[in-house]
Structures are given as C-alpha cells and as structure tokens.
Amino acid sequence: CDRCSIFVLDPTAENVWVKCGTGLSERQVSVPSSGSLVGQVINSGEVVIRNDMEQVAGAHEMVDMRTGFITRSAMCVPIHGKKSNTNVGAIQILNKVHGKKFNDEDRELMVRVAEQVSVSVEAIFQRQELYKLIKQIDQKIIQLKRTC
C-alpha cells in the first residue's frame, strides 16, 4: 500500500489522531470520531474495506486536500485494548499498490498487526484518560477554592 497510519482515540476531544504514519508527523491528522472511516471502525469494532474511496464523501477528502495525497482505497482495522476492553485506536492502510483491491488476505494480516500493537496504543489511550481526569480534578479544586 502507499500509506499506513496508526490512529488513537482521544476520549477528551472525541476525535481520532495520527500517532504515526507514512509521510505524517504525530497529530498532523485529526478527524472526528463520528463521520470518519477511522472513527466508524473504532466505534463499531468492525474491519472496513473500501475500494472506492474516490466515490465516497467523508473526512478523508479534507485530509487529502491538506496533505496532497489522493485516497483511492482504504482498509481500516480496529485496535482493541485488552485491559480496557474497548477499542482504543485503528490502523488504516491506503491505496493498495498497482490499483489492486484490498481483500480478505489483507484483512487477516492487518488484524494480526493490530493485535501486536494493541498494548502500546492502549497505553497511549490510558495516558489520555488520566490527563482528562487530572483536568477534571484541577477544575474541582479551583471551584472549591472559590467557595472557601
């Protein structure tokens, strides 16, 4: 494929951002957790293969404009956190080489890859959740100081 990216769900902002990807820096791409292919996969827990992305409207169009990349086909696989028992991210691959279509063999390989990276991605997700809790505690402390 032309590109591969690992996305992490941000529970604070309800979006999904790139941790790493071909030709991308961390957080260079951020899309809503609803209304995007990656968000759909994280929310549903289902692998999605789309070999007709040029015909599909969505967040990828905005990302393509920003990056200068043209998305023709995509496969997206959820990353399931073993400790949290929730989907914490996704791996997305774009444009299978030579105009070929993504298939079940590709799906099986990417599901195995997602299993291997799940521990690392879940740790990133949990750090974000911890940050969210710390922000909430800080706000409560500020409120309490105002009432004293």
Side-chain angles (χ1 to χ4, degrees):
C1 63
D2 287 338
R3 294 214 171 172
C4 177
S5 300
I6 297 176
F7 287 83
V8 178
L9 176 64
D10 185 339
T12 305
E14 296 184 6
N15 68 3
V16 182
W17 52 272
V18 167
K19 172 63 181 165
C20 58
T22 310
L24 300 171
S25 56
E26 185 171 347
R27 295 188 187 258
Q28 182 179 351
V29 172
S30 178
V31 295
S33 58
S34 61
S36 66
L37 178 61
V38 176
Q40 173 191 344
V41 166
I42 293 171
N43 290 325
S44 71
E46 301 291 326
V47 176
V48 173
I49 296 175
R50 291 225 175 100
N51 288 306
D52 61 347
M53 291 298 288
E54 292 173 299
Q55 311 301 316
V56 177
H60 66 281
E61 295 172 305
M62 179 179 52
V63 174
D64 283 0
M65 284 189 351
R66 265 190 286 156
T67 62
F69 184 78
I70 298 172
T71 303
R72 293 182 185 85
S73 61
M75 178 170 43
C76 196
V77 178
I79 299 171
H80 188 75
K82 291 173 180 28
K83 290 181 182 177
S84 63
N85 199 32
T86 186
N87 296 321
V88 295
I91 300 174
Q92 183 180 62
I93 57 176
L94 302 175
N95 298 353
K96 190 165 179 175
V97 293
H98 307 299
K100 294 182 180 179
K101 296 183 179 201
F102 290 113
N103 56 39
D104 288 336
E105 185 178 318
D106 300 321
R107 174 194 305 253
E108 290 173 23
L109 174 63
M110 292 312 298
V111 166
R112 288 196 312 269
V113 170
E115 289 172 4
Q116 294 298 312
V117 301
S118 66
V119 173
S120 297
V121 173
E122 184 172 35
I124 296 165
F125 177 79
Q126 288 174 332
R127 279 194 301 270
Q128 290 181 121
E129 284 190 316
L130 180 60
Y131 177 73
K132 179 181 175 181
L133 289 172
I134 290 169
K135 281 180 66 174
Q136 289 173 347
I137 290 169
D138 284 347
Q139 290 173 351
K140 292 287 184 187
I141 290 171
I142 292 169
Q143 289 174 353
L144 288 172
K145 284 182 179 180
R146 289 182 186 155
T147 60
C148 293

